[in-house]
Amino acid sequence: MHTAYLTHPSCLKHDMGGHHPECPERLHAINDQLIASGLLDHLGHYEAPKATKKHLARVHSVDYIEWVINQSPDSGLIDLDGDTAMNPFTLDAALHAAGAVVKAVDLVMADKVQNAFCSIRPPGHHAGRASASGFCIFNNVAVGAAHAIQHYGLQRVAIADFDVHHGNGTEDIFHDNPNVMLCSTFRHPYYPYKGADSGNDHIINVPLAAGSAGTEFRAAVTEQWLPALERFQPQFLFISAGFDAHYEDDMGGLALRDADYLWVTEMLKDVAQRHCNGRIVSTLEGGYSLQALGRCVMTHIKSLSQL
């Protein structure tokens, strides 16, 4: 199998209430579209293990990890911040979500697959070293990137984040770590109201104005991401794959289309082929229009799998 598909049933049990846009139906929408397209049968299926405290402590403080564990309720919901809550199943889901990315790295590094997509929730890129935020509890992509560096001895790992919101948690974790390049496009000013002026040589932040569409997004990737990635020459490429910049997503305020997600996936595959022996792990972040999410994830995975 060219592409691994990792998920876990616990990710469907994390539920922050019927009003909440980050809902279990997101994963059902993806799975339904993969079935309808015939793509699901051509992927390598893996059940995500739990991340260990050792995995998490590479990017989160031990005090924060213990705090999250202790917050886990026996019933009902408990708020971690204004947007992020835990039910009795959330801790398991968050551990399996982070563990999915660790397992994906292991599969790719062992040459069992060329690349992987982690269909998981809760998402991760707003979770900082010691903070839950924006629907995120543990920073899944950061856990995977740190695993690639510390377990496999890689020196240069890149993360490409095309979610409509800035991955402020990922930047918080890696801002002072030159072994990790973060390339991020995001609407600004917009939640989390960060990222416009905090970049450096390896944090490539590209704010986009409200209403920006494919032309502006493709220019940002072509003119800023790709030259930076060429200089950096990553040995492994991660994707924080948020699909809430789609024009059908009324939470986002940008205007990307399905073809833009196909295009950026192809661009990142080219980078990976030149520098990473094709090694890519992509993990789900945002995307709240269920129809657009299902279509765009299917398109993204179809490109990764070369089908």
Side-chain angles (χ1 to χ4, degrees), residues 214-231:
T215 300
E216 293 84 1
F217 172 70
R218 295 187 189 209
V221 171
T222 301
E223 296 169 11
Q224 300 199 52
W225 282 20
L226 297 182
L229 289 166
E230 287 302 313
R231 292 193 304 270

Side-chain angles (χ1 to χ4, degrees), residues 123-192:
H125 73 154
H126 294 307
R129 186 167 295 279
S131 61
S133 180
F135 315 162
C136 304
I137 297 173
F138 298 129
N139 195 309
N140 308 315
V141 76
V143 170
H147 182 62
I149 291 168
Q150 297 194 28
H151 187 74
Y152 291 100
L154 300 185
Q155 299 296 311
R156 298 179 310 283
V157 167
I159 301 169
D161 186 335
F162 48 71
D163 192 277
V164 77
H165 305 99
H166 176 53
N168 58 304
T170 311
E171 178 173 331
D172 171 55
I173 290 165
F174 293 125
H175 188 272
D176 298 323
N177 184 346
N179 299 110
V180 180
M181 172 168 281
L182 171 64
C183 296
S184 181
T185 51
F186 50 96
R187 177 183 165 187
H188 185 82
Y190 197 46
Y191 182 88

Side-chain angles (χ1 to χ4, degrees), residues 1-289:
M1 295 292 183
H2 191 85
T3 299
Y5 184 74
L6 296 97
T7 190
H8 191 273
S10 66
C11 294
L12 293 169
K13 295 181 179 181
H14 163 57
D15 193 334
M16 294 184 283
H19 67 286
H20 205 291
E22 207 294 281
C23 58
E25 288 76 16
R26 299 178 66 227
L27 298 191
H28 287 305
I30 292 168
N31 200 62
D32 289 349
Q33 188 65 49
L34 291 174
I35 292 171
S37 68
L39 186 56
L40 194 64
D41 290 340
H42 296 280
L43 306 176
H45 292 264
Y46 295 86
E47 188 169 273
K50 288 184 180 181
T52 65
K53 289 184 181 179
K54 178 181 177 181
H55 295 140
L56 299 175
R58 290 168 173 160
V59 301
H60 295 293
S61 73
V62 172
D63 286 348
Y64 173 69
I65 296 166
E66 293 298 331
W67 177 78
V68 170
I69 292 170
N70 291 333
Q71 293 300 303
S72 183
D74 294 326
S75 62
L77 289 172
I78 186 166
D79 290 328
L80 300 184
D81 80 339
D83 301 310
T84 313
M86 297 180 77
N87 77 354
F89 306 102
T90 297
L91 179 60
D92 251 15
L95 292 172
H96 283 290
V101 189
V102 173
K103 175 69 172 180
V105 171
D106 290 339
L107 291 168
V108 172
M109 291 300 295
D111 292 326
K112 293 183 178 179
V113 293
Q114 180 71 78
N115 53 51
F117 181 81
C118 300
S119 188
I120 52 174
R121 49 183 297 277
H125 73 154
H126 294 307
R129 186 167 295 279
S131 61
S133 180
F135 315 162
C136 304
I137 297 173
F138 298 129
N139 195 309
N140 308 315
V141 76
V143 170
H147 182 62
I149 291 168
Q150 297 194 28
H151 187 74
Y152 291 100
L154 300 185
Q155 299 296 311
R156 298 179 310 283
V157 167
I159 301 169
D161 186 335
F162 48 71
D163 192 277
V164 77
H165 305 99
H166 176 53
N168 58 304
T170 311
E171 178 173 331
D172 171 55
I173 290 165
F174 293 125
H175 188 272
D176 298 323
N177 184 346
N179 299 110
V180 180
M181 172 168 281
L182 171 64
C183 296
S184 181
T185 51
F186 50 96
R187 177 183 165 187
H188 185 82
Y190 197 46
Y191 182 88
Y193 304 101
K194 295 180 180 179
D197 55 3
S198 58
N200 57 35
D201 287 346
H202 64 97
I203 303 291
I204 314 301
N205 290 331
V206 192
L208 299 173
S212 294
T215 300
E216 293 84 1
F217 172 70
R218 295 187 189 209
V221 171
T222 301
E223 296 169 11
Q224 300 199 52
W225 282 20
L226 297 182
L229 289 166
E230 287 302 313
R231 292 193 304 270
F232 189 68
Q233 298 186 6
Q235 297 165 297
F236 204 115
L237 179 61
F238 292 84
I239 302 174
S240 269
F243 299 90
D244 41 4
H246 196 280
Y247 80 97
E248 293 178 24
D249 200 310
D250 58 11
M251 284 182 60
L254 296 185
L256 301 194
R257 295 181 177 268
D258 298 27
D260 297 310
Y261 292 108
L262 173 59
W263 175 84
V264 72
T265 306
E266 292 289 326
M267 294 298 102
L268 293 172
K269 280 172 55 184
D270 287 345
V271 171
Q273 286 296 333
R274 285 195 298 277
H275 301 298
C276 312
N277 294 320
R279 294 190 290 242
I280 295 175
V281 167
S282 178
T283 185
L284 181 65
E285 300 285 1
Y288 308 103
S289 167

